[in-house]
Amino acid sequence: MTDTATELVSPVSATTGEAVRTPLREFWRRFRRQPVALAALTFVVLLTLLAVLAPWIVPFDPENYFDYDQLNAGPSWSHWLGVDPLGRDIFSRIVMGARISLATGLASVALGGLVGTTLGLLAGYYEGWWDRIVMRICDVLFAFPGILLALGIVAILGGSLFNVVVAVSVFSVPAFARLVRGNTLVLKRMTYVEAVRSIGASDWTILVRHILPGTVSSIVVYFTMRLGTSIITAASLSFLGLGAQPPTPEWGAMLNDARADMVNAPHVALFPSLAIFFTVLAFNLLGDGLRDALDPKIDRK
Amino acid sequence: MKSPLPRGLTIASGLLALVLGTAPALAAKDVVLAIGGQPETLDPYNTNTTLTTAVTKSFYQGLFEFDKDLKVRPVLAESYTVSDDGLVYTFKLREGVKFHDGTDFNAEAVKVSLERVLNPENKLARYNQFNRIDKVEVVSPYVVKITLKDAFGPFINSLAHASAAIISPAALAKYGNKDIAFHPVGTGPFVFEDWKQTDYVKVKKFDGYWKKDFPKVDSITWKPVLENNTRAAMLQTGEADFAFPLPYEQTAALQANDKLDVIIGPSIIERYVSFNTLQKPFDDIRVRQAINYAINKEALAKVAFNGFASPAEGIVPEGVLYAHKMKPWPYDPAKARELLKEAGYPNGFESILWSAYTTTTAQKAIQFLQQQLAQVGIKVQIQALEPGQRTEWVQSWPDPKTAKVRMYYAGWSSSTGEADWALRPLLSTEAWPPKLNNTAYYSNEEVDAYIAKALRSVKDEEKAELYRKAQEQIFKDAPWAPLVTEKNLYATSKRLSGVYVMPDGNIEASEIAVSE
């Protein structure tokens, strides 16, 4: 991680030969060599577009359209992914569901990442009692399996999509805090930080301008990986009936609705599962690709 | 596992044990019946669960019973007479009947069993069913006289209910009021053998059974299987010979299996939504009517019940004595919107809809209702209540004024097969929670009077007339949206016969038989 930091903060040292090798350019050069990560990125971009444009794309109203003559009908030209047990168009619901899943995933990781990073930075930089308190709290949170912690929080707060975001974000906090604290501990002993301090920079400047940028690459990687986990946790909570309430077309809730008809109409359960599966897989692969591209050690081999 | 030889031997001996183990079991005609819930007790007087009494019927019998079509027929009683004022019943008992422990069945046994439930100190759940009895007297060894406090029309029906079992007085003295639940001794075709609460209840053939040539199987295992799909799978693998209830969704798959008989029987289970008539906006009859108009019952039967239900024809379903058939409430969303506008809700309103059950059928039903109500502008939040929540928030809520229940999806079957138990616990003023199940908090003096009068009447025609008036009035007041009457779906293996699901959801298995 030390190397990453040096390189990111002082890119000039890497400038040799033809084009100017900015960090971004360097990153892209390494990233595009990985076809799997590229495919994952493409999928994520497409999914995001789909989610943003969902209201204009869906062929049917995902909540209020129903056709009782086609209950559980399989995929067809008018209903691309078939019809669910309540007569609704599954394709429309999955597309609208992408919006919800991405939004809950993004919001919860952003929230957890923000809180965790702040705590980690402060803990690593100041150490002492503050560090001990923060890290012990993180240990306690780590002791619970993620889904159990989220379940407990939702049970206390009550079931709704907003509470799911809060619950899922809570279990992202300790992971980010620990990650960032570790980096901070290393970075703050670096010579360049000492140099900055010796010319009289405030703690705030040192933290935000000089240490934070050094941890950004690991935060980005972890953020992406965490997105996948968070989406699956949010979907699990909805599957258990604690998250999105019917008729909201959330993927986990759709799976729950499909349970009764899974045997006689497998497509009802299959498509929401595939949606969750591919989305989570894509975020994880993307995270892997980002890590490989951002880790200079790998490049030197 | 070191050399292949011992392993082969192990497998061989395992197989041998398997063959030896199963062969006699097959010859011994054991039958496995899979049911949807665990019996919470084996004391028929201490349960309100229909399925539990289905199990206790294997070893207990009463003076009367319901046959598979809910007609009352005598069992341990041979005949009876009633005094003109409807207060004194005299029963002639069957002679030559023995309990499993060898005790003779006689008038004394009837007296002991009934006096047990009548003693409030015993705290039995069925106390209310019998508390109209004033005294039980032994006239001669095989004649017993029961005197009632007031005339009570459905008295014979309540004696035919599976809970009114006659328990061996010797066993009752030996085990006491509590422990008899673990050591049931009756006159039924099977002797109790073993009970593991979550796993099974095992019973074996009673050799001294009074009905000649019965029972026709050697043993029965009642297996509680909570998961719908597992029960269906057990039938298909041959692990169970009978399963009830079954998921409606799997009917076609089960029917396609040539080893199974799928039976669709009538039921007296009516599904409805009750409105809390004490609360806005449901205190306005136009709102209640509007909701009735807004629900397409035909579609509901199709979506939630896969067609195994029909729109409810009135308040009490056909098959219950004194049920009055009325035309189902028509589906007319335009009319619903108009009524809402008149009532001052042109843009609808928001409310909550709870379901009394968490089954997939109930979940589909409330989602469907949510969908339908949204079409006329009523936005409901739905929640399927767990049994604990249901008891706390609905059934035992102490103060009617603060009750949180608004719209409530539930179902009912009259366990006595008679209109009284289909109306009084659900729609009379005395039945407001926490006492009974009037979740609409409906109160109409006329209806209360009709029900009370019918209860005291012993004349058939008069009763029919009173119950008709009560049902018509209720239908007009619309404290409910009556939805559908469902059908019972169950299946048996082809070798099994003599097991029926009765319209009230109980199971009749006294003539159970298997062919090899």
Side-chain angles (χ1 to χ4, degrees):
Chain A
M1 282 300 138
T2 324
D3 295 357
T4 325
T6 346
E7 191 178 81
L8 278 172
V9 195
S10 49
V12 195
S13 63
T15 342
T16 43
E18 342 77 50
V20 182
R21 293 176 88 182
T22 64
L24 198 65
R25 222 177 255 262
E26 184 67 5
F27 157 74
W28 179 242
R29 186 179 63 81
R30 293 204 199 109
F31 187 80
R32 71 179 171 197
R33 271 190 250 143
Q34 310 172 56
V36 178
L38 270 181
L41 181 70
T42 321
F43 182 86
V44 168
V45 169
L46 280 178
L47 191 73
T48 315
L49 275 178
L50 206 64
V52 172
L53 302 175
W56 296 277
I57 292 175
V58 290
F60 298 95
D61 182 328
E63 289 178 20
N64 286 316
Y65 164 85
F66 42 84
D67 183 347
Y68 297 140
D69 293 326
Q70 292 211 54
L71 299 177
N72 286 333
S76 62
W77 274 117
S78 57
H79 301 286
W80 295 353
L81 302 183
V83 179
D84 80 356
L86 281 155
R88 297 171 299 202
D89 180 52
I90 295 179
F91 176 72
S92 308
R93 289 177 66 76
I94 285 186
V95 170
M96 277 308 250
R99 232 174 140 84
I100 297 166
S101 283
L102 286 185
T104 45
L106 212 61
S108 58
V109 181
L111 193 65
L114 193 71
V115 177
T117 307
T118 315
L119 288 178
L121 270 178
L122 296 176
Y125 188 73
Y126 291 110
E127 300 188 58
W129 60 270
W130 170 251
D131 178 40
R132 284 199 292 279
I133 292 176
V134 170
M135 284 305 115
R136 287 309 78 75
I137 293 176
C138 289
D139 286 344
V140 171
L141 290 178
F142 262 125
F144 294 99
I147 183 83
L148 196 68
L149 187 66
L151 263 177
I153 295 169
V154 171
I156 296 166
L157 297 176
S160 79
L161 216 47
F162 178 76
N163 290 344
V164 165
V165 171
V166 175
V168 177
S169 71
V170 167
F171 91 99
S172 289
V173 168
F176 277 102
R178 195 175 268 190
L179 179 79
V180 173
R181 171 183 174 268
N183 284 342
T184 311
L185 280 176
V186 176
L187 289 177
K188 78 171 196 184
R189 293 191 175 82
M190 302 287 295
T191 328
Y192 79 92
V193 174
E194 243 169 78
V196 184
R197 189 177 291 135
S198 66
I199 58 169
S202 66
D203 285 354
W204 171 257
T205 315
I206 297 173
L207 272 175
V208 175
R209 301 280 305 275
H210 301 282
I211 294 181
L212 185 61
T215 63
V216 156
S217 62
S218 37
I219 293 178
V220 165
V221 171
Y222 200 70
F223 191 94
T224 320
M225 298 247 199
R226 205 74 204 171
L227 267 177
T229 329
S230 294
I231 287 173
I232 216 168
T233 314
S236 312
L237 287 174
S238 291
F239 175 78
L240 295 172
L242 295 168
Q245 297 302 316
T248 314
E250 207 275 346
W251 293 343
M254 287 172 73
L255 263 184
N256 186 23
D257 290 346
R259 273 183 315 146
D261 294 86
M262 220 164 67
V263 184
N264 52 317
H267 69 275
V268 175
L270 182 68
F271 293 120
S273 324
L274 284 181
I276 297 175
F277 173 72
F278 282 123
T279 308
V280 175
L281 185 70
F283 277 113
N284 281 338
L285 291 176
L286 182 62
D288 273 345
L290 285 177
R291 192 192 53 213
D292 292 354
L294 288 170
D295 191 343
K297 281 181 211 139
I298 291 173
D299 190 45
R300 268 167 214 157
K301 269 178 207 162
Chain B
M1 292 284 173
K2 269 178 200 153
S3 74
L5 187 66
R7 194 205 285 175
L9 270 179
T10 333
I11 293 173
S13 60
L15 278 176
L16 198 68
L18 211 69
V19 171
L20 286 176
T22 48
L26 274 177
K29 288 193 185 172
D30 179 56
V31 182
V32 176
L33 309 178
I35 49 175
Q38 298 164 4
E40 73 273 27
T41 174
L42 294 183
D43 181 352
Y45 286 100
N46 205 15
T47 177
N48 279 318
T49 315
T50 309
L51 268 178
T52 302
T53 58
V55 175
T56 61
K57 280 201 294 182
S58 314
F59 30 81
Y60 281 127
Q61 290 179 313
L63 297 180
F64 298 87
E65 70 175 10
F66 292 113
D67 69 4
K68 64 181 169 61
D69 305 312
L70 286 188
K71 298 270 182 306
V72 175
R73 66 179 176 204
V75 183
L76 295 178
E78 275 185 334
S79 59
Y80 72 99
T81 52
V82 199
S83 65
D84 288 339
D85 58 3
L87 285 179
V88 183
Y89 285 73
T90 312
F91 298 92
K92 169 96 187 59
L93 303 181
R94 187 177 295 278
E95 294 179 34
V97 177
K98 278 199 186 309
F99 286 103
H100 301 153
D101 60 0
T103 322
D104 278 324
F105 163 77
N106 53 27
E108 187 60 30
V110 176
K111 183 177 157 77
V112 169
S113 294
L114 289 178
E115 281 180 348
R116 168 174 178 253
V117 66
L118 289 171
N119 183 354
E121 276 169 33
N122 286 336
K123 294 200 175 76
L124 294 168
R126 285 280 167 179
Y127 173 72
N128 276 325
Q129 188 182 331
F130 300 97
N131 65 359
R132 282 185 160 73
I133 298 177
D134 185 33
K135 54 180 190 266
V136 185
E137 291 160 291
V138 176
V139 177
S140 73
Y142 292 99
V143 178
V144 67
K145 193 165 91 180
I146 299 178
T147 313
L148 304 182
K149 290 172 189 157
D150 341 83
F152 179 51
F155 182 58
I156 293 297
N157 283 55
S158 47
L159 285 182
H161 188 266
S163 67
I166 306 302
I167 303 174
S168 158
L172 206 50
K174 184 172 162 196
Y175 298 112
N177 177 49
K178 279 252 158 62
D179 267 6
I180 191 75
F182 300 96
H183 306 278
V185 180
T187 58
F190 294 95
V191 182
F192 170 74
E193 200 172 30
D194 191 15
W195 178 31
K196 288 240 164 48
Q197 185 142 19
T198 51
D199 292 349
Y200 57 78
V201 175
K202 277 191 177 147
V203 295
K204 64 170 192 280
K205 183 177 181 172
F206 176 36
D207 290 322
Y209 186 50
W210 57 271
K211 223 184 209 170
K212 269 220 160 340
D213 298 328
F214 284 99
K216 295 195 183 217
V217 299
D218 295 308
S219 61
I220 299 182
T221 308
W222 293 93
K223 255 202 167 108
V225 181
L226 303 186
E227 233 284 312
N228 257 340
N229 289 325
T230 316
R231 233 174 292 125
M234 281 173 76
L235 268 179
Q236 288 186 311
T237 58
E239 210 180 316
D241 292 292
F242 165 89
F244 170 75
L246 288 173
Y248 293 117
E249 291 86 359
Q250 291 196 26
T251 323
L254 292 170
Q255 276 168 336
N257 187 331
D258 55 12
K259 288 195 203 86
L260 300 175
D261 280 324
V262 176
I263 300 125
I264 296 145
S267 95
I268 53 165
I269 303 169
E270 175 153 329
R271 302 285 169 199
Y272 60 89
V273 168
S274 69
F275 312 116
N276 185 340
T277 55
L278 299 181
Q279 300 291 339
K280 268 189 184 313
F282 304 112
D283 55 346
D284 189 327
I285 187 168
R286 286 168 298 193
V287 171
R288 305 199 298 264
Q289 288 169 336
I291 295 174
N292 266 297
Y293 279 119
I295 301 166
N296 182 348
K297 290 108 197 152
E298 299 269 353
L300 171 66
K302 209 160 132 184
V303 171
F305 299 87
N306 282 49
F308 296 110
S310 49
E313 294 173 316
I315 301 293
V316 180
E318 205 179 352
V320 175
L321 198 56
Y322 309 120
H324 176 56
K325 199 165 159 177
M326 283 171 271
K327 241 180 73 187
W329 204 294
Y331 170 58
D332 189 348
K335 180 104 193 197
R337 265 181 240 114
E338 210 173 283
L339 280 163
L340 283 174
K341 201 190 270 174
E342 268 177 47
Y345 302 98
N347 301 317
F349 55 87
E350 285 184 23
S351 190
I352 50 169
L353 167 64
W354 285 344
S355 154
Y357 326 94
T358 54
T359 58
T360 47
T361 309
Q363 305 252 21
K364 276 190 187 176
I366 54 176
Q367 287 202 26
F368 172 85
L369 292 172
Q370 183 185 43
Q371 210 171 59
Q372 292 273 294
L373 293 175
Q375 308 312 308
V376 297
I378 303 171
K379 286 186 193 64
V380 290
Q381 264 185 30
I382 56 174
Q383 188 178 357
L385 302 185
E386 302 288 338
Q389 294 174 320
R390 184 178 78 207
T391 316
E392 190 188 335
W393 296 350
V394 184
Q395 285 168 338
S396 56
W397 192 265
D399 183 11
K401 284 194 196 70
T402 60
K404 287 189 282 183
V405 63
R406 291 294 180 273
M407 295 170 76
Y408 185 61
Y409 169 83
W412 188 262
S413 77
S414 166
S415 53
T416 59
E418 221 245 9
D420 173 58
W421 203 246
L423 292 172
R424 198 155 50 94
L426 301 179
L427 293 153
S428 68
T429 311
E430 57 165 308
W432 284 15
K435 281 184 115 176
L436 280 161
N437 288 312
N438 187 348
T439 50
Y441 292 99
Y442 171 68
S443 176
N444 182 319
E445 278 173 27
E446 273 177 70
V447 171
D448 286 345
Y450 292 141
I451 294 175
K453 222 167 144 192
L455 197 58
R456 281 185 175 74
S457 163
V458 278
K459 280 186 227 106
D460 241 17
E461 272 170 36
E462 190 187 23
K463 280 171 101 164
E465 176 66 11
L466 286 166
Y467 282 129
R468 182 184 64 77
K469 281 185 186 159
Q471 289 169 61
E472 276 174 352
Q473 186 60 42
I474 295 165
F475 199 74
K476 228 176 6 188
D477 288 342
W480 286 1
L483 300 174
V484 295
T485 308
E486 64 178 62
K487 293 192 170 69
N488 282 331
L489 174 68
Y490 61 103
T492 68
S493 63
K494 279 248 154 65
R495 69 171 192 144
L496 189 77
S497 61
V499 183
Y500 309 94
V501 172
M502 297 152 67
D504 65 346
N506 210 319
I507 298 165
E508 153 67 31
S510 62
E511 298 187 358
I512 184 169
V514 287
S515 58
E516 286 307 329

